[in-house]
Amino acid sequence: MSTYPVRVEARLEEPLNRGLWIVKWVLAIPHYVVLAFLWIAMAVLTVVAFFAILFTGRYPRALFDFNLGVLRWTWRVAFYSYGALGTDRYPPFTLGPAPGYPATLEIDYPERLSRGLVLVKWWLLAVPHYLVVGLFTSGSILSWTGALPDRGGVLYTLDWGGLIGLLVLVAALSLLFTGRYPHGVLDFVVGMNRWSLRVAAYALLMTDAYPPFRLEQGERELPRMEPPPAPHPRVRHRAGSVVAVAAGAVLVFCGLGAAAAGTGGTFVSMARGDDGFLSSGAERVSTSAYALTLEPGAVTGNGVDLMGDAVGTVRLTATGAGAPAFVGIAPKADVERYLNGVSHDRITRLSFPAPGSSSGPADVGYERHAGGAPSGLPAAQRFWSASGTGAVTWNLRPGEWAVVVMNADGSAGVTTDLRVAATLPGLRGLTAGLLVAAGLLLVGGGALITAGVRMANAPAGAGSGADQSAWPAREK
């Protein structure tokens, strides 16, 4: 019987401080900050490794050892902090192995990997394991008070941390009151972490061996009944190499975001009409009162933000379902004076849909103001900055503005489809800037990653798997 190529071990270090676990989240912050960048780097390098495996069937050794180091670092921090609380010894800041530390992780470097399996194993084949690992590592309880959440109720979410979090809490309370860590709890916690790290290695394309559906509890792995694979030269990433690779991966990550935004801006520019306006889809608004008001700051979502500094000329169209609709834009104070004592609804939430689509009234929020009929027809008022029947065009100016939609004859019961459009004069320049920035970030990030990999030396010696000299003792 041979152990799985991903070997996770841990050793409970007693005695443990009764109360140190209360502040370990503060002590571990430097590790959390570094790991945030390292996980970004690992994600980017995994994408690179994906294409390398797809075309060559091999996982580049420098990338493999870097990602293995990130997983090692993560396991050491988890064992120290709230993934186990199994030691009070502060984790070392290194990607390499730390033989004296009580938490270890080793992965056999694969000579060859399936070029076809890489396409499906990280998302399709691993789904059953993701469900199990989700039970181990996360979970939430949902509850609400009052009405349903979308009708004014309050929704609460309590994250209980999964089975690992619950058992570590049991161990923490036992430490606090008795000074002892229950060994049975540690065996179970290490077993769940072992399962999770095996799945992580499989999803990160570091092995083709499917993770076993078994909970192997205990501090030690199952003994090997056959020798481990022959050792391979290990690539050691020193401080300069790690910084270069991590910084390069962050730049690549930002470059991909800029490229996505620039590409989106290109498609948005292509959606302009012949009149030069980019229009949203239609949103149905309705009230039984005499008017609807909209303060531009309430407009959010996929539509054009009325308060943007670079939107250019704005056009608001109201296609009435009944009587012709009047649309006016005026200073907020003038609108409030006109509608003082008039029955109207203020729109509190309005998300314009994407161009060419429409949505129903469930996407709109209203606030009712009681009153009677208006004192005069809306078109007869002289305070409008811009007004019209069915549509209004307006150039943005500083100030507090409000939009009013009414029936042109001033009658009650307003139902109309609203569309907002804008010229967005700065969109082309912004899109070009994003694409140029994306190119620079991707080139710079790729250069840093390449330099970091080249900085890593590869001396002859043991590979990433277990040291052969330690195998007989492990077998015993």
Side-chain angles (χ1 to χ4, degrees):
M1 179 175 56
S2 175
T3 55
Y4 189 71
V6 180
R7 295 177 298 286
V8 180
E9 296 191 346
R11 182 180 71 257
L12 181 64
E13 286 196 327
E14 295 181 308
L16 295 170
N17 187 286
R18 285 174 176 256
L20 185 62
W21 62 269
I22 299 175
V23 295
K24 279 186 175 180
W25 68 272
V26 178
L27 302 178
I29 285 177
H31 282 284
Y32 295 152
V33 173
V34 175
L35 283 174
F37 290 99
L38 291 179
W39 272 86
I40 293 175
M42 183 168 63
V44 173
L45 296 184
T46 301
V47 174
V48 176
F50 170 88
F51 289 103
I53 297 168
L54 184 63
F55 292 111
T56 69
R58 297 179 63 87
Y59 202 122
R61 186 57 196 260
L63 307 189
F64 182 91
D65 283 334
F66 185 94
N67 288 349
L68 170 57
V70 177
L71 288 179
R72 279 196 191 110
W73 196 326
T74 302
W75 172 226
R76 288 193 291 254
V77 173
F79 190 70
Y80 168 78
S81 59
Y82 303 103
L85 294 177
T87 181
D88 288 342
R89 195 190 310 185
Y90 201 67
F93 285 83
T94 177
L95 294 178
Y101 199 76
T104 62
L105 168 65
E106 300 295 342
I107 304 176
D108 294 334
Y109 177 71
E111 283 291 347
R112 303 289 298 180
L113 289 168
S114 170
R115 298 165 64 179
L117 199 59
V118 73
L119 297 171
V120 294
K121 66 180 183 181
W122 54 275
W123 64 277
L124 179 61
L125 301 182
V127 166
H129 279 287
Y130 292 155
L131 299 177
V132 176
V133 171
L135 178 65
F136 290 164
T137 60
S138 65
S140 61
I141 300 173
L142 302 179
S143 63
W144 58 81
T145 61
L148 293 175
D150 61 348
R151 297 186 180 179
V154 180
L155 180 65
Y156 298 96
T157 302
L158 174 63
D159 190 348
W160 49 274
L163 291 177
I164 292 178
L166 287 177
L167 290 178
V168 170
L169 177 60
V170 170
L173 295 176
S174 177
L175 277 174
L176 183 64
F177 293 109
T178 70
R180 300 191 61 182
Y181 195 119
H183 286 231
V185 171
L186 179 75
D187 289 343
F188 199 11
V189 167
V190 171
M192 290 187 289
N193 278 291
R194 180 176 288 126
W195 191 321
S196 302
L197 287 166
R198 287 175 174 178
V199 173
Y202 183 76
L204 292 170
L205 314 178
M206 302 177 77
T207 180
D208 279 346
Y210 196 69
F213 276 94
R214 62 173 180 265
L215 184 64
E216 296 180 8
Q217 301 184 50
E219 300 177 348
R220 306 285 293 179
E221 286 274 1
L222 294 176
R224 283 187 181 273
M225 302 305 292
E226 59 183 39
H232 299 276
R234 176 187 294 140
V235 176
R236 294 185 179 179
H237 292 269
R238 301 187 185 277
S241 172
V242 173
V243 171
V245 172
V250 171
L251 291 181
V252 169
F253 185 78
C254 294
L256 292 174
T263 303
T266 301
F267 284 107
V268 168
S269 296
M270 295 171 59
R272 294 177 188 269
D274 295 336
D275 55 2
F277 280 84
L278 176 68
S279 177
S280 72
E283 178 66 69
R284 174 66 59 90
V285 295
S286 179
T287 180
S288 59
Y290 290 92
L292 288 166
T293 65
L294 171 66
E295 298 172 10
V299 179
T300 58
N302 294 326
V304 180
D305 188 350
L306 294 177
M307 295 298 291
D309 294 332
V311 298
T313 301
V314 175
R315 182 177 67 202
L316 188 66
T317 304
T319 306
F326 168 87
V327 184
I329 300 176
K332 182 180 177 181
D334 292 334
V335 170
E336 290 177 345
R337 280 193 294 270
Y338 173 58
L339 295 179
N340 185 29
V342 176
S343 176
H344 67 281
D345 280 348
R346 183 174 72 89
I347 297 176
T348 60
R349 184 182 70 254
L350 177 62
S351 297
F352 288 108
S357 62
S358 61
S359 59
D363 295 328
V364 185
Y366 301 95
E367 180 182 274
R368 174 58 61 92
H369 294 261
S375 58
L377 295 178
Q381 311 305 312
R382 298 183 178 275
F383 56 80
W384 302 112
S385 297
S387 61
T389 301
V392 61
T393 301
W394 183 61
N395 291 319
L396 290 176
R397 286 179 290 170
E400 277 194 283
W401 305 93
V403 179
V404 177
V405 180
M406 302 175 64
N407 290 329
D409 58 5
S411 61
V414 181
T415 300
T416 186
D417 291 330
L418 289 182
R419 287 182 176 85
V420 63
T423 55
L424 300 178
L427 182 60
R428 287 190 175 90
L430 177 62
T431 298
L434 284 171
L435 293 176
V436 171
L440 294 176
L441 288 169
L442 291 173
V443 171
L448 275 176
I449 292 174
T450 302
V453 170
R454 289 181 176 178
M455 288 167 61
N457 62 334
S464 68
D467 192 351
Q468 277 191 318
S469 62
W471 172 64
R474 177 184 292 275
E475 185 179 273
K476 293 178 184 179

